[in-house]
Amino acid sequence: MATTSVRDIHRRGLMLVLSSPSGAGKTTISRRLLERDTGIAMSVSVTTRPMRPGETHGVDYYFVSQDEFDRMAAAGELLEYARVFNNCYGTPREMVEAKLSEGRDVLFDIDWQGTQQVAEKAREDLVSIFVLPPSGEELERRLHTRAQDSAEVIAHRMAKASDEISHWAEYDYVIVNTDVEESVASVQAILRAERLKRRRQVGLSGFVRGVQESLR
Ligand code: 5GP
């Protein structure tokens, strides 16, 4: 039966992936986006890497042993997983599926390997954004001023950055992060348009039929 109520149009949640080389500003963009948009939940990954100063278990990551990570991967508890900088990272499946079915959107800070796996499993629900630094020099400067990591780790990250950047063309959108506020506004504009995609508006055809019936 057709409905004439606009309240019967629901939205199917989407998976918003932000990827970038370390230091391009992705974490700041994500944080501001989450503060401003309550319709979006952050996916908290599991990782085997050691906790950095200022990080909190269950907020930044779930910090787990290699054995626990391997168990979760083998049990199918991870939506995607990859090895990055000699550590393992993965997305717990359960929270993501629960949020999506509630019509909430989920934000992921994952690398290109994880993005490819999500694309293989759920292309229709995926919206991917690659964040580029304004220049290589600026990326290097940001990695140094962050000072959370040892010089050796920074050097390793610089080498990895060009590898990560080589995957830019696999993403739906690309943002050059010259100004953080501008970048957050761009992500919000992308989200707004993607939420309005016809296939994400469940119940729309019933609503339209109702409108047509009332015109007869
Ligand atoms: P960091 O150690 O600096 O927090 O993260 C290093 C890299 O791992 C970043 O590029 C980040 O996007 C990626 N990463 C974090 N969590 C996940 C995850 O669950 N899956 C994948 N594939 N990559 C992740």
Side-chain angles (χ1 to χ4, degrees), residues 20 22 26 45 49 52 61 80 82 84-85 89-91 109-111 114 157:
S20 75
S22 290
K26 173 184 53 179
S45 298
R49 88 148 158 71
R52 294 191 191 125
Y61 284 102
E80 61 73 37
V84 188
F85 308 129
Y89 296 82
T91 302
D109 172 347
I110 60 176
D111 79 334
R157 278 167 193 256

Side-chain angles (χ1 to χ4, degrees), residues 25-215:
K26 173 184 53 179
T27 311
T28 314
I29 296 171
S30 308
R31 214 175 281 141
R32 294 197 193 173
L33 182 68
L34 290 166
E35 278 166 16
R36 287 166 207 187
D37 191 329
T38 51
I40 194 156
M42 184 85 204
S43 162
V44 180
S45 298
V46 287
T47 183
T48 59
R49 88 148 158 71
M51 197 187 285
R52 294 191 191 125
E55 287 185 327
T56 309
H57 180 80
V59 176
D60 300 286
Y61 284 102
Y62 295 104
F63 296 91
V64 298
S65 65
Q66 188 67 54
D67 282 353
E68 174 61 3
F69 189 96
D70 294 344
R71 188 203 62 73
M72 291 179 83
E77 292 174 20
L78 301 176
L79 182 66
E80 61 73 37
Y81 58 94
R83 180 170 277 274
V84 188
F85 308 129
N86 301 322
N87 290 302
C88 293
Y89 296 82
T91 302
R93 178 190 296 278
E94 207 178 300
M95 174 272 191
V96 174
E97 288 176 352
K99 295 289 176 199
L100 290 179
S101 63
E102 285 168 21
R104 300 267 314 268
D105 300 322
V106 182
L107 177 65
F108 299 78
D109 172 347
I110 60 176
D111 79 334
W112 64 270
Q113 304 173 79
T115 310
Q116 282 187 353
Q117 292 171 45
V118 176
E120 276 160 26
K121 286 175 189 159
R123 187 67 192 91
E124 291 280 284
D125 293 330
L126 171 68
V127 177
S128 62
I129 306 177
F130 197 86
V131 181
L132 283 170
S135 68
E137 294 75 33
E138 178 61 15
L139 184 70
E140 188 168 5
R141 196 189 62 73
R142 288 182 194 171
L143 282 177
H144 281 286
T145 52
R146 196 150 73 165
Q148 277 178 337
D149 297 308
S150 67
E152 192 195 338
V153 170
I154 292 172
H156 193 53
R157 278 167 193 256
M158 289 297 292
K160 278 274 179 190
S162 89
D163 178 44
E164 184 76 27
I165 289 173
S166 72
H167 292 275
W168 70 276
E170 294 160 25
Y171 286 72
D172 299 325
Y173 299 91
V174 176
I175 292 175
V176 179
N177 186 26
T178 311
D179 176 86
V180 177
E181 270 309 306
E182 184 83 12
S183 300
V184 175
S186 297
V187 176
Q188 288 181 302
I190 292 166
L191 251 181
R192 178 144 195 192
E194 290 287 346
R195 283 169 171 165
L196 288 169
K197 280 250 168 90
R198 192 181 58 232
R199 65 166 189 273
R200 298 212 166 95
Q201 299 194 56
V202 180
L204 197 55
S205 54
F207 171 75
V208 174
R209 268 200 312 277
V211 171
Q212 287 176 319
E213 275 166 22
S214 65
L215 293 174

